[in-house]
Amino acid sequence: MALTGIGGHGRRRTAVLGAALLAAALTACGGATHPDAAASHSPVALANKDAAAVAPIPRGTGSKAASHSPRSTDFNGDGAPDLVLDDLAHDDGGDDPGIGIVYGRKKHGLVPAARQLLSPAKYAARTKGQTPAAFGSEAACDLNADGFSDLVVSTDPPYDGQGMPPVPLQLLFGSPTGIAGKGVKLRIPAQARFGNDWPDQPVCGDFDGDGKDDLVVHASAGRLTYLPGPFSRKGAPGGTPRVAQSSGNVPAGAADLNGDGADDVLVRAHNGTARSAVVLGGPTGPARPGAAYPAGTDVAFGDFGTAVLTEGGLTVYAGQGAAPRTVKATGQTLDTGDLDGDGRTDVVVSGETSKLRLVRGGTQLAPGDLGTGRVVAVADFDGDGRDDVALQRTPDTSHETDTVLILPGARTASLLAKAPRLTFSTTEFTSH
């Protein structure tokens, strides 16, 4: 699954349509600017002729979408989705350069020149005097309920292999000028942990139905850690954290599947091809077992039911005793959105080497050949009521260059426009 712009480490999670994208189909982030914000927010100009001039990051005042939509990527609170890019092309062969953000402008779309590089040296909290070498986006939502999306990142803190590993997750808070200030370490009290696995793979959602975003992270032996929001700017959860029973270790997504106002958690037995199941949310967070699904490489929900991606194709379970149907669309990853604006959920099937395939309404393969590429986001970047697809293409295994294409949703049988609205390269994050 690609979150709305979350890639890199976030690609480990399966494709579950979160509350932001499920609104039509299933049921009907920090405030103060850091003193160094002005320097750290200076965008880098693109060589692309459409973005030759440096553009400022649009200033926002807080977005209701950020406050009420898990997986929102409106870090500057101006009402326009932003794009998060983890796999930045660079030629030095060294450490991970960090995370790139391309900011959007309301009713316009993404502005590649309005950009921000979140490098570990500048944005990561140090552990025992060490700056993390790894710095990858994991999830985005408004964790402190201020109307600005916040970013959860994964790091690699020092660990001697004895006992419980340290918490590798840090929070970067949004502001009127985008992500501001260094990260803070997520606080998980000992009573909310189980076993000696790394507490990682976070999933955002309103799991207790109080209108505030919470987090669920990986624990051990069929258990999850539930952290209720809103979170403090020091990384502490707002309510009482606890361990939740689960039929799997790996949190994979969130959506209000039963329409009770609380998001439910999809969990998987392990990474890769695995069975998945739902843990239903409620007033005390995720607690009750829900539906279970057969093994697959990815899972997606929509008004069509549940789609499981296997080697044989996309198997759709419509529910209520209906026989499953298989659509011949192969790949490794599922994403979801309303590409043609008809109110129905469409499925995007992709992989590193497989062709991009679109499934209208989750049941009918769309015509056309859009080539290969890795989907990094599905979101309505330009505000026209149709979701767009952000596709990243890397010409070879060196990853020294790439092209990011924004393919607009279209009211046609092919679901996407034939030509991209925008193209740029992530080399611009690291070449200046």
Side-chain angles (χ1 to χ4, degrees):
M1 159 186 81
L3 305 182
T4 310
I6 303 291
H9 296 276
R11 302 296 302 180
R12 296 178 300 182
R13 294 182 293 275
T14 57
V16 179
L17 198 57
L21 296 179
L22 274 175
L26 297 179
T27 63
C29 250
T33 302
H34 188 271
D36 296 332
S40 61
H41 293 166
S42 298
V44 177
L46 289 177
N48 187 307
K49 66 179 182 179
D50 295 327
V54 175
I57 294 172
R59 188 176 182 89
T61 58
S63 167
K64 291 183 179 180
S67 299
H68 301 289
S69 298
R71 303 193 309 148
S72 167
T73 54
D74 187 5
F75 302 111
N76 57 338
D78 69 342
D82 308 316
L83 177 65
V84 181
L85 295 159
D86 258 297
D87 296 328
L88 304 182
H90 61 291
D91 58 8
D92 61 5
D95 290 338
D96 182 354
I99 303 162
I101 300 178
V102 176
Y103 286 86
R105 190 165 72 233
K106 197 169 183 178
K107 297 183 179 180
H108 172 84
L110 294 172
V111 182
R115 51 191 291 109
Q116 185 178 14
L117 175 62
L118 307 179
S119 67
K122 184 174 290 187
Y123 286 91
R126 294 164 66 89
T127 300
K128 297 181 179 179
Q130 297 185 28
T131 298
F135 203 59
S137 65
E138 290 281 359
C141 51
D142 184 9
L143 292 172
N144 59 346
D146 65 351
F148 302 94
S149 297
D150 310 310
L151 189 63
V152 187
V153 300
S154 184
T155 67
D156 55 348
Y159 175 53
D160 62 5
Q162 304 299 313
M164 284 187 171
V167 177
L169 302 175
Q170 298 186 11
L171 310 181
L172 293 172
F173 292 103
S175 79
T177 53
I179 295 294
K182 282 187 176 290
V184 299
K185 298 174 184 179
L186 177 66
R187 297 186 180 184
I188 305 179
Q191 67 267 25
R193 296 185 61 176
F194 185 89
N196 292 334
D197 287 354
W198 287 90
D200 57 7
Q201 304 195 67
V203 168
C204 289
D206 178 12
F207 302 111
D208 54 11
D210 68 349
K212 305 295 190 297
D213 288 335
D214 315 310
L215 286 176
V216 166
V217 302
H218 170 89
S220 304
R223 290 167 175 82
L224 305 170
T225 293
Y226 163 60
L227 304 170
F231 290 73
S232 75
R233 290 188 62 86
K234 294 184 177 180
T240 303
R242 66 176 178 84
V243 174
Q245 287 288 129
S246 171
S247 56
N249 284 344
V250 184
D256 183 6
L257 300 177
N258 56 5
D260 66 351
D263 284 327
D264 312 307
V265 188
L266 182 93
V267 294
R268 310 194 75 217
H270 50 77
N271 288 313
T273 301
R275 290 181 175 273
S276 55
V278 170
V279 182
L280 298 173
T284 60
R288 296 173 293 130
Y293 307 102
T297 58
D298 225 336
V299 181
F301 297 114
D303 49 355
F304 52 79
T306 302
V308 179
L309 183 61
T310 68
E311 291 184 358
L314 190 71
T315 302
V316 180
Y317 300 83
Q320 299 180 344
R325 294 182 294 167
T326 299
V327 179
K328 293 183 178 180
T330 58
Q332 292 81 46
T333 305
L334 298 180
D335 294 88
T336 44
D338 184 1
L339 301 177
D340 57 357
D342 68 350
R344 297 186 302 163
T345 306
D346 307 309
V347 179
V348 182
V349 187
S350 64
E352 292 288 352
T353 57
S354 58
K355 290 184 177 181
L356 184 70
R357 305 299 293 174
L358 309 177
V359 184
R360 180 190 297 272
T363 60
Q364 181 182 356
L365 191 65
D369 184 355
L370 296 169
T372 61
R374 188 168 64 88
V375 174
V376 291
V378 178
D380 183 8
F381 292 112
D382 57 8
D384 67 353
R386 300 186 295 273
D387 285 327
D388 314 309
V389 173
L391 193 68
Q392 187 176 29
R393 289 176 175 162
T394 304
D396 54 45
T397 58
S398 70
H399 295 276
E400 292 183 359
T401 186
D402 67 354
T403 302
V404 178
L405 305 90
I406 308 303
L407 302 171
R411 301 184 191 278
T412 62
S414 61
L415 299 180
L416 287 178
K418 294 181 180 179
R421 173 179 290 119
L422 176 69
T423 63
F424 61 93
S425 173
T426 67
T427 55
E428 299 301 328
F429 283 100
T430 58
S431 61
H432 296 272

